[in-house]
Amino acid sequence: MNLVDTLLERGHSLRHEGGGNYRLRGHGGLIVKDQGWYSHSIAKGGGAPSLFQLLEEKVQPCETKTIQCSVSQPQCHRIIQPVKNPGLTDQLFTLGLLGYRYLLSRDIDLPLLNLLAGRGWIMQSPKGYVAFMGHDEHEQVRCVSMRSIHEWYHIRRYERSGSNKCYTFAFPLPKTGQELILCEGPIDALSIACMEHRKREQGYERTCKIATCGAPTAHILSRIRKIQPRRLFLAFDNDIVGRAITGDFCKAMEQANIPVHPIRPRIGKDPNDWWRNRHKKVET
């Protein structure tokens, strides 16, 4: 099997350029032919091993080990813990350079990414998706939410087969009586964590952030009733759907006698838009 066939088998997209040359989509001027490759953007080439190392596909999953990473920052060490429930986590790897670049482009803090990647709560698939782990009260992985790294992917988000959407991504793990914030997606949850830390300098785990990931309202309500939060904040998207969900939760929580505080992004559609705008203002 030549290098082109291997890349196609791993889910990569290539465009035929003629003369046996194929351009790897999403990687600038990277050309593949037979068993070799060359990237005009970095003026470097080689064989299959060096290409898969460049694409961050040689990192092995589910082993306890220390690895080094550097993403526009000094080198750091991360302890990779074994991931439970391997049926949901098949073909998921330690968060690599592509995943880091994608999440950093959404202005998520590097220390927060190192923290979650080190715990194995954020991982990466060889097909260009970032995976967010949802845990139950026993820290077992019960839901895996996939988000595409590449804008041109036809399927941008989905939950892996076998996921229980009663346990979507939450950070940190919910505890009875704490403050709880609901939002729509995992990146929104990370954005809220960044805002909390930047405002109060009390770390990223002051409140529990739960990403609903399109889970049925009944599932989320059941989870909230088990947690019995001291206060519940709703940070859904500032659009028609988000406002409708906010109204539904306000009515349901009124019956459960749980204080609810809706929060709408002051800028943009969702918490990530809001955070990115605030982050740019701080930097300038």
Side-chain angles (χ1 to χ4, degrees):
M1 182 180 293
N2 62 30
L3 185 54
V4 171
D5 292 336
T6 302
L7 288 167
L8 290 172
E9 187 179 71
R10 294 189 178 206
H12 291 282
S13 178
L14 298 104
R15 186 179 68 201
H16 189 213
E17 298 283 308
N21 296 314
Y22 290 81
R23 185 180 298 272
L24 185 60
R25 294 182 185 272
H27 295 277
L30 199 154
I31 300 296
V32 180
K33 182 177 181 180
D34 298 326
Q35 296 296 337
W37 66 276
Y38 185 83
S39 173
H40 295 280
S41 61
I42 61 175
K44 183 178 178 182
S50 60
L51 177 58
F52 294 136
Q53 186 174 16
L54 179 70
L55 299 178
E56 291 293 306
E57 293 191 7
K58 288 201 69 173
V59 181
Q60 296 301 317
C62 301
E63 295 181 3
T64 302
K65 58 183 179 179
T66 302
I67 68 170
Q68 291 184 338
C69 69
S70 59
V71 186
S72 304
Q73 294 283 344
Q75 284 195 335
C76 57
H77 292 278
R78 296 185 283 119
I79 304 300
I80 307 304
Q81 300 294 341
V83 176
K84 299 175 182 178
N85 198 341
L88 276 177
T89 57
D90 286 345
Q91 296 300 310
L92 293 182
F93 300 82
T94 302
L95 189 67
L97 185 59
L98 292 177
Y100 267 98
R101 282 178 176 171
Y102 169 70
L103 293 169
L104 289 171
S105 74
R106 308 299 291 268
D107 285 347
I108 306 303
D109 290 352
L110 179 61
L112 176 57
L113 295 180
N114 285 338
L115 172 67
L116 292 172
R119 293 180 182 177
W121 286 20
I122 303 180
M123 302 186 77
Q124 186 174 323
S125 80
K127 293 188 177 181
Y129 285 86
V130 173
F132 297 87
M133 309 295 135
H135 300 82
D136 62 16
E137 56 273 18
H138 305 295
E139 299 191 34
Q140 294 280 345
V141 176
R142 300 290 298 279
C143 181
V144 178
S145 297
M146 310 293 289
R147 297 297 182 267
S148 64
I149 294 172
H150 305 299
E151 295 288 335
W152 40 265
Y153 269 23
H154 177 63
I155 300 176
R156 300 295 306 279
R157 61 192 67 186
Y158 68 96
E159 275 61 55
R160 276 197 154 190
S161 177
S163 292
N164 184 339
K165 294 186 78 170
C166 289
Y167 300 99
T168 52
F169 177 78
F171 171 75
L173 288 178
K175 295 180 181 178
T176 303
Q178 70 182 137
E179 291 186 347
L180 184 63
I181 301 177
L182 291 185
C183 54
E184 293 190 25
I187 293 177
D188 292 333
L190 301 186
S191 301
I192 293 169
C194 292
M195 282 191 276
E196 286 184 344
H197 177 62
R198 197 62 54 90
K199 182 177 180 180
R200 301 175 183 269
E201 293 296 330
Q202 294 179 351
Y204 299 103
E205 303 184 58
R206 192 180 67 83
T207 64
C208 174
K209 280 71 65 175
I210 294 180
T212 58
C213 300
T217 302
H219 288 19
I220 304 300
L221 290 175
S222 175
R223 193 175 189 182
I224 293 172
R225 290 190 181 102
K226 289 180 181 178
I227 300 169
Q228 284 296 306
R230 183 168 70 255
R231 287 192 297 175
L232 175 66
F233 296 90
L234 305 177
F236 294 114
D237 291 1
N238 190 17
D239 55 18
I240 295 175
V241 175
R243 289 191 287 272
I245 297 173
T246 299
D248 291 342
F249 273 99
C250 285
K251 292 177 182 178
M253 291 301 101
E254 185 177 351
Q255 297 175 359
N257 198 28
I258 296 175
V260 180
H261 305 272
I263 303 173
R264 287 185 182 176
R266 297 174 187 172
I267 297 174
K269 187 188 76 169
D270 56 33
N272 184 243
D273 288 344
W274 187 9
W275 163 240
R276 293 174 76 182
N277 184 270
R278 289 184 60 182
H279 191 210
K280 288 175 183 176
K281 286 183 178 180
V282 170
E283 288 184 335
T284 55

